[in-house]
Amino acid sequence: MNFRPPQVGYWRKPMATSLPLVFDPPRRAMPPRHFADLDEDSRSTAVADLGLPAFRGKQLANQYYGRLIADPQQMTDLPAAVREQVADALFPRLLDAVREIECDAGETRKMLWRAVDGTTFESVLMRYPDRNTVCISSQAGCGMACPFCATGQGGLNRNLSTAEILEQVRAAAVELRDRDHGRLSNIVFMGMGEPLANYNRVLGAVRRTVAAPPNGFGISARSVTVSTVGLAPAIRKLADERLNVTLALSLHAPDDELRDTLVPVNNRWNVSEALDAARYYADVTGRRVSIEYALIRDINDQPWRADLLGKRLHGALGPLAHVNVIPLNPTPGSEWDASPKAAEREFVRRVRARGVSCTVRDTRGREIAAACGQLAAEG
């Protein structure tokens, strides 16, 4: 088969020999240290360095993770005389909300953030009848170069710090609480960036997200999803952390010939290696793996590819796989489009016929460029 992708502006498929470069963002100074960057031991050290008694560390943690307060001037159990000192040392301002737009009668809301160095990125808050989910970014931009994704087409700016990631979570929790006494229940690392390419900072954010107050936000690990395009060694490493969060593998093609183009990291770790790592994750954690599949008209929606996808997943993961079919969301400059509904239904039917669970994702935020693959942080 001779596959030639449609032209998508300035994107081109990287050669396998150059692929490691996508893991290294341009060298930029990280933002100043923030309280949310620190684990429990580091917090104790930081508080001691300020000449404060040890119990102040727990007080600050209760304020940040429990009461969702990041301004020491509002921390009423902190002596007024030390609030400015604590603010300067541990609570520097990291993010400013530049623009907020919404759709779905206000149930979907996208936020554009600007960091202290001018870096921009986005997060999306989605309210459902049975849950409230925030989709957060782990990098500003993305170096994975997937041609159907606006973030990937824009390239990688830099990694986000643990605190910049957690501030997106805290902001969503504050909005839900203040708006209608709601509670944040789900977190998906499916915004801008490849989470496992920013492994240590994402791991810190996950740990403090799932830890019980005062050491974290207390979100159930089963309600946290970490997405990846298939960085196999990092998937195995995450499994060994035994955090038991949900793993989402962005597969998008069952065969290497096509996936080499749609997901260029496949040149480094092919379909078999990605699925082997996913199986390891499932075996270690006992969790079902979500397989993300953006369905693209006449590109990856052929019936034989549905059959092959079902066959490969049944063999690699069996009942521990669930396919999320995602109708392709439009991005600027791309000639690709979502598959017709009839093709979508047939694709789902064929995957299920192979004994693999498969559903079509309920897409939110398409009209405000807040859906999967649309985040570009323009503004």
Side-chain angles (χ1 to χ4, degrees):
M1 171 185 175
N2 294 319
F3 172 78
R4 177 180 293 275
Q7 296 299 308
V8 284
Y10 46 82
W11 177 86
R12 65 180 178 84
K13 175 182 171 183
M15 298 297 291
T17 54
S18 68
L19 197 58
L21 295 177
V22 302
F23 302 116
D24 299 322
R27 292 191 177 275
R28 290 174 177 247
M30 293 299 289
R33 182 188 68 168
H34 187 279
F35 185 80
D37 288 314
L38 308 178
D39 60 19
E40 188 173 4
D41 290 341
S42 298
R43 292 200 303 263
S44 298
T45 300
V47 167
D49 289 345
L50 294 177
L52 301 176
F55 72 87
R56 294 295 182 199
K58 186 174 181 179
Q59 278 186 330
L60 294 175
N62 272 318
Q63 291 284 354
Y64 185 82
Y65 294 109
R67 298 185 62 192
L68 305 176
I69 294 175
D71 179 4
Q73 298 298 337
Q74 299 177 22
M75 298 179 182
T76 55
D77 58 353
L78 193 66
V82 302
R83 291 177 190 173
E84 185 173 350
Q85 178 191 19
V86 170
D88 291 343
L90 296 178
F91 290 91
R93 189 171 185 85
L94 294 181
L95 306 180
D96 287 307
V98 177
R99 185 174 66 245
E100 183 177 327
I101 54 177
E102 62 181 38
C103 63
D104 302 321
E107 300 295 273
T108 301
R109 186 170 295 190
K110 182 172 76 167
M111 186 70 73
L112 174 66
W113 301 102
R114 178 170 290 127
V116 293
D117 63 351
T119 297
T120 57
F121 54 92
E122 294 175 324
S123 61
V124 183
L125 178 60
M126 295 162 284
R127 299 166 74 232
Y128 298 91
D130 61 339
R131 67 191 186 281
N132 294 309
T133 300
V134 64
C135 177
I136 60 175
S137 294
S138 55
Q139 297 179 310
C142 183
M144 298 296 107
C146 300
F148 54 89
C149 174
T151 313
Q153 291 171 35
L156 179 61
N157 187 344
R158 69 166 171 84
N159 288 325
L160 300 187
S161 69
T162 293
E164 287 174 321
I165 297 169
L166 289 171
E167 277 290 271
Q168 297 171 71
V169 176
R170 188 187 67 85
V174 168
E175 178 171 334
L176 288 165
R177 180 196 64 190
D178 294 349
R179 188 174 179 182
D180 56 9
H181 304 288
R183 182 180 179 277
L184 183 64
S185 59
N186 293 70
I187 298 171
V188 293
F189 285 78
M190 292 182 171
M192 302 181 73
E194 162 56 54
L196 298 188
N198 188 17
Y199 187 89
N200 289 333
R201 297 179 186 93
V202 166
L203 180 64
V206 170
R207 289 192 185 281
R208 293 194 260 295
T209 292
V210 303
N215 295 316
F217 292 119
I219 304 293
S220 168
R222 291 181 173 270
S223 299
V224 176
T225 298
V226 176
S227 177
T228 177
V229 294
L231 280 60
I235 292 173
R236 292 174 180 272
K237 188 176 180 181
L238 183 63
D240 291 336
E241 308 284 355
R242 298 184 184 273
L243 290 169
N244 294 347
V245 297
T246 300
L247 177 72
L249 173 61
S250 296
L251 198 64
H252 306 309
D255 56 302
D256 289 323
E257 182 179 12
L258 177 58
R259 195 170 191 264
D260 281 349
T261 298
L262 292 184
V263 187
V265 79
N266 197 72
N267 290 277
R268 182 84 173 266
W269 297 289
N270 63 26
V271 173
S272 292
E273 291 170 302
L275 291 180
D276 284 348
R279 179 62 197 230
Y280 180 80
Y281 189 91
D283 286 343
V284 170
T285 65
R287 301 299 312 281
R288 188 168 69 168
V289 175
S290 177
I291 304 297
E292 310 297 297
Y293 199 102
L295 207 60
I296 310 172
R297 182 195 298 261
D298 299 329
I299 300 296
N300 66 351
D301 62 351
Q302 297 88 350
W304 71 266
R305 280 201 164 93
D307 294 338
L308 180 59
L309 177 65
K311 179 181 179 181
R312 298 200 72 167
L313 292 179
H314 182 77
L317 288 160
L320 294 174
H322 173 80
V323 178
N324 269 322
V325 169
I326 307 167
L328 183 73
N329 294 302
T331 57
S334 175
E335 299 176 11
W336 292 345
D337 193 10
S339 300
K341 288 300 178 183
E344 178 186 284
R345 288 191 295 268
E346 178 64 8
F347 193 93
V348 170
R349 186 192 70 79
R350 285 177 174 267
V351 172
R352 289 175 176 171
R354 293 284 182 168
V356 176
S357 173
C358 182
T359 56
V360 178
R361 176 180 291 174
D362 174 26
T363 299
R364 283 282 200 96
R366 181 178 295 173
E367 56 267 49
I368 58 171
C372 264
Q374 291 186 314
L375 298 186
E378 295 177 349

